[in-house]
Amino acid sequence: MLGCGPRMENVHLIVGLGNPGSEYTKTRHNVGFLVVARLAERCHAGWSYEKKFEARLAKVQQESGGSVFLCQPQTYMNSSGDAVGAVVGFYQVPLARLLVIVDDADLPLGELRLRPSGSSGGHHGLESIEQRLGTREYARLRVGIGRQPGSRQITNYVLGRFDSTETVLADKVINAACDQAETWRNAGIQKAMSQFNGVVNGPETESKEK
């Protein structure tokens, strides 16, 4: 668990990317929103809309001191950098303590990939953040959502919701992404990568193993 505590020695920022509005709720493209929402639930942290950032924030106090801010930019995906840059600047968050969680259609549903830096890979949210921060040197956790078989057009797919055959695995992946984000905060990125990067077992795999 991220935990809670009395004092603030440092600040970490965990951003989940997505689009605001009921029409985008629980869509594949909003999996970043879903992960940080689950983190907030685990910590019993309440959300508030901060107009100066154009973002929703939830603050979690740490038992070991310091705070973690959970963030859902409300700028729409392609302008995510506006909100992230504003929060990073206001709270003076070191880039080593910034984690951005995004969907990735090039990874199959069920796969997690955390990296300390890297290119946007064509993800418009990451492109916006890179442009605003002026660097690629921040951690990003890619959550695989897969692609529609036999189709190069992904817009309708990523803006669709997980279907009935995907929901159980998607929920497990969201929980695993939360565990990985918590490990990143508490034990560092190398431990988080080695422990969680890879494929999250789905219900069929688990039943066969048993």
Side-chain angles (χ1 to χ4, degrees), residues 98-137:
L98 168 64
L99 172 64
V100 178
I101 303 172
V102 300
D103 63 292
D104 193 326
D106 291 325
L107 295 177
L109 176 64
E111 185 165 339
L112 298 175
R113 184 178 295 171
L114 174 64
R115 292 288 185 269
S117 61
S119 71
S120 67
H123 193 287
H124 297 315
L126 292 179
E127 288 174 356
S128 176
I129 294 171
E130 178 184 331
Q131 184 176 20
R132 176 63 185 266
L133 297 181
T135 181
R136 297 176 174 179
E137 298 300 315

Side-chain angles (χ1 to χ4, degrees), residues 4-16:
C4 56
R7 60 198 179 91
M8 179 173 170
E9 291 181 347
N10 53 63
V11 176
H12 287 73
L13 175 61
I14 300 176
V15 180

Side-chain angles (χ1 to χ4, degrees), residues 105-179:
D106 291 325
L107 295 177
L109 176 64
E111 185 165 339
L112 298 175
R113 184 178 295 171
L114 174 64
R115 292 288 185 269
S117 61
S119 71
S120 67
H123 193 287
H124 297 315
L126 292 179
E127 288 174 356
S128 176
I129 294 171
E130 178 184 331
Q131 184 176 20
R132 176 63 185 266
L133 297 181
T135 181
R136 297 176 174 179
E137 298 300 315
Y138 60 89
R140 69 282 314 276
L141 170 53
R142 298 178 182 273
V143 180
I145 60 169
R147 285 181 180 269
Q148 194 168 20
S151 175
R152 294 177 61 86
Q153 173 56 254
I154 67 168
T155 301
N156 291 338
Y157 177 75
V158 300
L159 294 179
R161 291 173 172 80
F162 295 108
D163 63 37
S164 58
T165 65
E166 299 172 320
T167 51
V168 174
L169 176 55
D171 189 68
K172 287 177 66 67
V173 172
I174 289 166
N175 276 326
C178 288
D179 293 340

